[in-house]
Every structure is written in C-alpha cells, then in structure tokens.
C-alpha cells in the first residue's frame, strides 16, 4: 500500500475535499461547466488506486469519447503529480496499472466484447465511474452494476458525473426524488449528491472562462452550464431522429456525403460521413470531433475513411487549400444569408438515423435549439451552441440543399417553429 499525503489542500478545490473519502454506494457529482468535477473525480481515482484495495472501471457511453476526455484527465493527474514511475499506461488496451497491482480500466458501453472482459489483475472492480453520465441509458448502467460481483475489502461504489442537461432524464427521476432545489448537497445511507458550479473552481479558472459563463445570454445554457440547474429544453430544431446500430449497413450506400466544420481552440473540428436513402438521413460516422487539430492532423484522420471522395467544408479558403495540399479533395460549402435555415429546413424533411457510436452527434442534436427573443418566443435562428457536427451535416449536403435553393430565406412559420 502506498500512503498518499493529501494534506496539500492547494491541489484540490475546497468543496470536493470532504468527498475524497466518501464511501457511499451511489455518488453524484453534477452541476455547471468548469466546476472542477472531472478533475476531482480523476484526482480521487488516482489516489484511491495508489492506496490500494480498489480497481476502477471508468465508463462513457462510447469508447471513442473516453480517449479524449476522462482518460486524458486521469493521465494528466498522474503526470502533474509526477507519479509516472508508479503507473504503467497501456494506450491500446486503455488500462492504467499501478505498481501495487491495482488498475483503472476504461470501457465504452458500446463495446460489448470488451465489456465482457472487465476483470482486473488483482481483486475485483470496486468502483464504476461514469463520466458524462447523461449520455447513458438506465438499463446499461443497471446491467453493468449487477455484473460486478465478487468479494472486496472495501465498499463498492458507483459514481456519476454530468451536466444536468434536461429534467426529464432518467437520472433525475431515479436519484433526485429527495433533492431540495437551492441546496448544493444531499446525503442518505446509499446516495450522496454534490452540486457545483464554476464558482467552486474560481482559483483554477482563467478570467476568460469565467466571463464566458457569466455573459451567457441564452436562458437554457445559462441555467445548465452557468448555474448548474436541471435544464428545461426550448424549441428543439430536430425532433425526428433516433439512434441505431448502423455498423451492419455502413458500407452499403452508393453515395456518401462528407462534411467538415473547422474549429481549433474553443470549438472542436467536426467531420462526419452521411448517406441518404428512402427519406432517411443516416449519420454513419464521426470522423473527427476534437479540439486543437491542425490541418495536417485533420487530413490524416480523414484520409483512411474518405480516400478519394469529396468533402464539403466550412468556407475557409486557406484551410481548404492546405487540406488539398495534403491530398484531401476538399471543397467549400456555399454560405450566405439564410443558408443555415435552408440547410436545416432541408434536413428536416428526413428521418435522421444516427449510429450509436456517434456520441457527439447525439449530444448536439438533442440540445440544438432555436434562439428565443426577450419575451421567450422562439425565433428562426439557432442558438450558436452544439452546432459543430450539425453544421458539417449541412456542408456535406450542400449540393442537394442548393439544388433546391429559393430566392428568399425561410420565415419562422415555414420553419414550423411557432
Ligand atoms: N484541482 C485542480 N487543479 C488544477 N486545475 C483544476 C483543478 N480543478 C479544476 N481545474 C481546472 O479547471 C478546469 C475545469 O475543470 P473540469 O474540467 O474538472 O470541470 P467540469 O466540472 O468537469 O466541467 P464540465 O461540466 O464542463 O465538464 C480544468 O480544465 C482545469 O484546468
Ligand atoms: Mg467535466
């Protein structure tokens, strides 16, 4: 056993310190953006593993989103504390093993095969940690929990971490029955809930991060991400969509529509692959959804999937020219007054079927909303959030959309938002 000295309170946000040793069976850490939730659960995970007797299974709904989020966060804790010598990181297996033999295993709920082999090298899984838990289905989580049997010296725990995206969510129904609005904590014998916001993490935030949250104008985003309250969704732009496993039919389409929305430091670059058949729009693959990618990295990620196919991109001539230099057949999508609404209107004639691995597409589409005016009435302009993957779909379908282009933009009535 390695004794961990956690007396350096400067490493932690005050509000989370009492929870470092929280033994309650089900634990919820939820609230606004940039509240320090993910860093805290990562810190706690590393400390628990060092102390021994615990193995963690870290879960997200899809494996591809794990790699760029909590997996990196936990690796960062290890390197920030100079603990690299005590851990062996296996990138391809997504496992982190401590010299004491205890492990952190990472799995996506979409990988049935890998979920079967969740046996740690030493002892049993004692902790399931679910990051962005609102992505998950209730049954998946229940099944997983049931499967984790076996004796352990310590109490087993389930920890959920998330932003409270909408009040009709299963997590709200299941765990918030006794929650009192306005409080920030709840405890009983089996459940603990801590609600935090950016205000609990001020000392680790840049002024820009704080300003962004405090200046948020959209009422929905202000509630959820600034104040950490359960959201009440406004007028959603797409409602006719569902999630399916498309792996079996993914390669059976004649024509593919590839799209790319450039991002960099604040917004992710998003690229997707779509197809259309019989009034259905299939979202087949998230080729890219990542911050900080330069154009050569973008090209490297696209090439194996699209090969010699065209890809329609956000109209950034310099980036497009660079992608072409790297061998990608990149074209600019048409833009102009009303083009966003034309695209949306075009897409709304289809039933949208999203592959279950396209987690970021799912996250965006379920929150993509019309803006409201000051009287709370929806206007025909989307909120400029959760639109990166949505935008690339419009670019991808550019040629089909503009075949149909009429002279004037759609009105709010034509868009059906009244
Ligand atoms: N203990 C800490 N030490 C150093 N930096 C921290 C710490 N806690 C939080 N931070 C900083 O604050 C940022 C936001 O924290 P974090 O990502 O954990 O918030 P979150 O509550 O998970 O937000 P979101 O809801 O957006 O996922 C981190 O990227 C990190 O830079
Ligand atoms: Mg987080």
């Amino acid at each position: 056993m390695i004794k961990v000295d956690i007396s350096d309170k400067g490493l932690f946000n005050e509000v989370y310190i009492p929870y470092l040793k929280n033994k309650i069976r089900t634990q919820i850490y939820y609230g606004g953006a940039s509240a320090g939730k993910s860093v805290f659960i990562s810190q706690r995970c590393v400390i628990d593993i060092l102390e021994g007797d615990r193995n963690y299974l870290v879960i997200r709904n899809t494996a591809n989103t794990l790699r760029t989020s909590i997996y990196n966060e936990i690796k960062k804790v290890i390197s920030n504390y100079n603990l690299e010598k005590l851990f062996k990181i296996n990138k391809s297996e997504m496992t982190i093993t401590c010299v004491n033999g205890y492990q952190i295993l990472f799995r996506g709920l979409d990988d049935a095969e890998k979920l079967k082999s969740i046996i740690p090298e030493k002892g049993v899984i004692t902790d399931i940690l679910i990051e962005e838990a609102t992505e998950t289905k209730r049954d998946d989580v229940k099944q997983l929990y049931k499967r984790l049997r076996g004796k352990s010296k310590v109490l087993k725990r389930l920890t959920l971490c998330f932003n409270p995206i909408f009040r009709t969510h299963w997590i709200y129904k299941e765990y918030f029955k006794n929650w009192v609005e306005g409080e920030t904590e709840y405890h009983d014998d089996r459940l603990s809930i801590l609600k935090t916001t950016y205000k609990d993490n001020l000392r680790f935030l840049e002024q820009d991060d704080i300003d962004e949250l405090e200046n948020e104008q959209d009422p929905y985003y202000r509630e959820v991400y600034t104040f950490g309250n359960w959201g009440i969704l406004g007028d959603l732009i797409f409602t006719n969509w569902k999630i399916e496993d498309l792996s079996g039919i993914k390669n059976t389409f004649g024509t593919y529509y590839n799209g790319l929305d450039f991002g960099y430091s604040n917004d992710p670059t998003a690229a997707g692959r779509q197809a259309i058949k019989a009034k259905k729009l299939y979202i087949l693959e998230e080729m890219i959804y990542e911050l900080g990618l330069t154009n050569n990295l973008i090209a490297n990620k696209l090439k194996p999937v699209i090969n010699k196919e065209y890809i329609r991109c956000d109209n950034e001539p310099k980036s497009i020219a660079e992608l072409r230099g790297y061998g990608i057949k990149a074209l600019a999508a048409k833009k102009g007054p009303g083009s966003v609404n034309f695209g949306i209107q075009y897409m709304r004639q289809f039933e949208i079927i999203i592959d279950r691995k396209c987690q970021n597409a799912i996250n965006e589409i379920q929150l993509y909303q019309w803006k409201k005016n000051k009287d709370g009435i929806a206007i025909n302009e989307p909120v400029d959030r959760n639109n990166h993957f949505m935008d690339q779909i419009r670019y991808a379908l550019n040629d089909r959309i503009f075949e149909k282009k009429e002279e004037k933009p759609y009105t709010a009535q034509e868009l059906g938002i009244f």
Side-chain angles (χ1 to χ4, degrees):
M1 175 166 159
I2 299 158
K3 190 77 199 111
V4 182
D5 178 10
I6 51 170
S7 59
D8 183 357
K9 301 287 187 260
L11 295 176
F12 306 99
N13 271 305
E14 203 78 17
V15 68
Y16 297 106
I17 291 176
Y19 291 85
L20 278 166
K21 296 287 165 207
N22 187 3
K23 299 279 185 294
I24 290 173
R25 186 180 176 91
T26 303
Q27 304 185 17
I28 290 182
Y29 300 94
Y30 88 107
S34 301
K37 303 183 294 298
S38 298
V39 172
F40 163 68
I41 56 172
S42 304
Q43 290 174 319
R44 192 181 70 166
C45 170
V46 171
I47 292 168
D48 283 345
I49 295 294
L50 282 168
E51 292 195 332
D53 295 333
R54 289 191 176 277
N55 288 296
Y56 267 69
L57 173 63
V58 180
I59 292 284
R60 270 190 75 166
N61 198 38
T62 53
N64 58 346
T65 51
L66 257 178
R67 216 177 264 282
T68 50
S69 57
I70 183 86
Y71 174 69
N72 276 340
E73 206 64 72
I74 288 176
K75 282 201 312 187
K76 234 192 272 171
V77 171
I78 292 171
S79 65
N80 287 349
Y81 295 0
N82 294 320
L83 299 170
E84 282 108 329
K85 285 205 184 79
L86 297 178
F87 289 93
K88 208 166 68 224
I89 298 177
N90 183 328
K91 199 174 159 198
S92 58
E93 289 292 315
M94 298 268 280
T95 56
I96 297 180
T97 309
C98 182
V99 289
N100 62 13
Y102 290 97
Q103 286 183 304
I104 312 169
L105 312 177
F106 297 82
R107 294 288 186 274
L109 287 172
D110 56 338
D111 198 337
E113 276 311 302
K114 275 198 163 170
L115 272 174
K116 280 184 201 147
S117 58
I118 35 176
I119 300 156
E121 283 175 6
K122 184 172 169 183
V124 295
I125 297 281
T126 59
D127 281 82
I128 303 180
L129 172 57
I130 308 185
E131 172 71 318
E132 309 301 350
T134 47
E135 293 170 352
T136 61
K137 290 207 285 285
R138 180 179 181 277
D139 285 354
D140 288 347
V141 174
K142 296 276 153 179
Q143 285 299 330
L144 189 66
Y145 202 51
K146 256 194 248 162
R147 291 230 317 262
L148 298 177
R149 295 184 210 101
K151 275 216 174 99
S152 82
K153 280 192 229 160
V154 295
L155 293 172
K156 292 189 184 163
R157 303 181 296 190
L158 169 68
T159 300
L160 309 178
C161 188
F162 57 87
N163 303 115
I165 54 172
F166 42 79
R167 196 176 278 265
T168 49
H169 201 278
W170 72 264
I171 291 179
Y172 184 80
K173 290 184 195 141
E174 181 110 6
Y175 298 115
F176 283 70
K177 292 184 188 93
N178 297 321
W179 178 257
V180 179
E181 267 338 304
E183 297 286 318
T184 56
E185 292 179 77
Y186 172 84
H187 299 272
D188 63 31
D189 294 347
R190 299 175 63 81
L191 172 67
S192 85
I193 304 179
L194 174 68
K195 172 182 173 180
T196 50
T197 67
Y198 74 100
K199 288 198 170 159
D200 297 297
N201 184 31
L202 287 177
R203 67 177 159 148
F204 294 118
L205 292 178
E206 308 273 325
Q207 192 57 43
D208 279 357
D209 305 324
I210 298 170
D211 290 347
E212 199 183 314
L213 285 163
E214 292 188 342
N215 297 333
E216 176 62 65
Q217 294 301 312
D218 182 81
Y220 169 82
Y221 290 96
R222 216 173 146 74
E223 277 303 307
V224 176
Y225 296 100
T226 310
F227 301 131
N229 295 328
W230 282 94
I232 295 170
L233 287 169
D235 292 81
L236 293 169
I237 296 177
F238 298 110
T239 48
N240 188 17
W241 60 273
K242 62 181 181 195
I243 302 164
E244 279 180 18
D245 180 356
L246 299 177
S247 52
I249 60 165
K250 192 168 132 178
N251 298 318
T252 63
F253 296 91
T255 307
Y256 291 92
Y257 300 95
N258 305 307
L260 174 72
D261 185 37
F262 293 108
Y264 190 65
S265 49
N266 294 321
D267 295 327
T269 296
R273 186 164 170 79
Q274 285 75 215
I276 287 177
K277 198 173 189 178
K279 280 289 164 201
K280 290 189 171 127
L281 167 60
Y282 293 90
I283 315 288
L284 299 167
E285 191 165 343
E286 264 172 28
M287 297 187 283
I288 302 176
Y289 197 94
E290 213 174 315
L291 290 169
L293 289 184
T294 50
N295 289 329
N296 63 329
L297 294 176
I298 294 175
N300 288 345
K301 285 177 186 277
L302 293 176
K303 214 175 268 172
V305 190
I306 69 168
N307 210 341
K308 294 274 166 244
E309 291 170 13
Y310 285 101
I311 183 162
R312 283 279 180 186
C313 308
D314 190 6
N315 196 345
E316 283 186 21
K318 185 166 168 276
S319 293
I320 290 174
E322 279 184 33
L323 286 183
R324 291 217 194 123
Y326 296 119
I328 298 293
K329 287 167 97 176
L331 298 170
K334 268 193 209 173
K335 269 186 159 175
S339 64
V340 176
N341 283 354
F342 274 119
I344 288 172
Q345 183 64 353
Y346 181 80
M347 283 168 64
R348 290 202 333 174
Q349 66 181 300
F350 299 101
E351 182 183 12
I352 302 176
I353 320 281
I354 307 177
D355 182 67
R356 66 163 298 180
K357 286 192 187 294
C358 298
Q359 187 64 52
N360 296 295
I362 296 163
N363 291 350
E364 286 195 3
I365 204 167
Q366 68 186 355
L367 296 182
Y368 195 35
Q369 302 170 55
W370 297 111
K371 252 189 207 166
K372 287 189 165 71
N373 67 16
K374 61 180 185 345
D375 303 318
I377 312 282
I379 57 171
N380 59 344
E381 189 187 332
V383 177
D384 185 18
R385 293 280 289 264
N386 284 302
N387 51 2
H388 315 295
F389 204 84
M390 297 295 105
D391 283 351
Q392 74 72 27
I393 304 175
R394 284 192 299 104
Y395 304 144
L397 301 179
N398 177 88
D399 298 10
R400 295 182 68 122
I401 293 166
F402 284 91
E403 254 171 37
K404 298 211 159 215
K405 188 177 183 322
E406 289 161 29
E407 284 313 306
K408 55 180 196 333
Y410 287 101
T411 65
Q413 268 117 332
E414 282 165 333
L415 287 165
I417 59 173
F418 290 123

